[in-house]
Structures are given as C-alpha cells and as structure tokens.
Amino acid sequence: MNNIIQKQYENQTISFDLTSDVMISLTEMAKANGKRTNDWMSLPSTKSYLSALEKSNAQKYGSEAKQEVIVKNGGNNNGTWASKRVAIRFAQWLSEEFSIW
C-alpha cells in the first residue's frame, strides 16, 4: 500500500490505495460516520456476503484470487481495508448519504 490518495468527507479523511486493485480504508469510512468496522464485520449478512465473494473469486481466479478485506496492524495505513465491492456494501450500511458520496 503505497499509492495512497485521500479524499475528504465531512472533514474526515478517507484513504484510497490505488496500487493495483483499489483498496479503501473501512476504518476511516466508519470513523467518518460515527460507527465501528467490527460491528459490520460481525453481522451474519456480512459474513455470508464475504464468504460468497471469496468462493466466487476462488472459482474465477483459483490461487490468484485477491483478498477482498485486509486488516493491517501497525506501520503506515493500518486498519481495515477492502476492495471496491466490499467498500460499496459497507458504505450502504453506514448511511445513504455516504454511499452516494
């Protein structure tokens, strides 16, 4: 993660990693909306969605399948990062206004 751009949403920074596949900071998205990433990650519907997405990726790409969610602890850009598809679904959970942004 080294090609980071940052956008502002209501005075909160949301980071996007454009290295190869776009990854977006769910941690910053949650903070900007006064919510916690773990609350969404623990929902049965989220677990089911991520499982189905992982299965689909494995069928399409085999061992080359990319990770849809990455938890990075320590160093620069730590927190929970996700692919565009996961970030859009997360944004919809956060708020309608944010998901439109």
Side-chain angles (χ1 to χ4, degrees), residues 40 45-46 49 84-94:
W40 182 75
S45 59
T46 301
Y49 174 74
K84 293 180 283 189
R85 291 195 290 188
V86 174
I88 289 168
R89 190 161 176 122
F90 184 61
Q92 292 168 336
W93 175 77
L94 291 170

Side-chain angles (χ1 to χ4, degrees), residues 26-74:
L26 299 187
T27 303
E28 292 173 352
M29 290 171 65
K31 182 179 177 184
N33 287 278
K35 295 189 177 182
R36 294 173 3 108
T37 305
N38 289 342
D39 292 342
W40 182 75
M41 294 291 288
S42 65
L43 293 173
S45 59
T46 301
K47 291 177 182 180
S48 176
Y49 174 74
L50 293 176
S51 177
L53 192 52
E54 183 179 302
K55 182 178 177 181
S56 173
N57 284 345
Q59 289 172 343
K60 287 180 186 174
Y61 307 109
S63 63
E64 301 296 316
K66 69 179 180 108
Q67 289 182 287
E68 296 288 336
V69 176
I70 297 170
V71 177
K72 191 168 186 259
N73 296 311

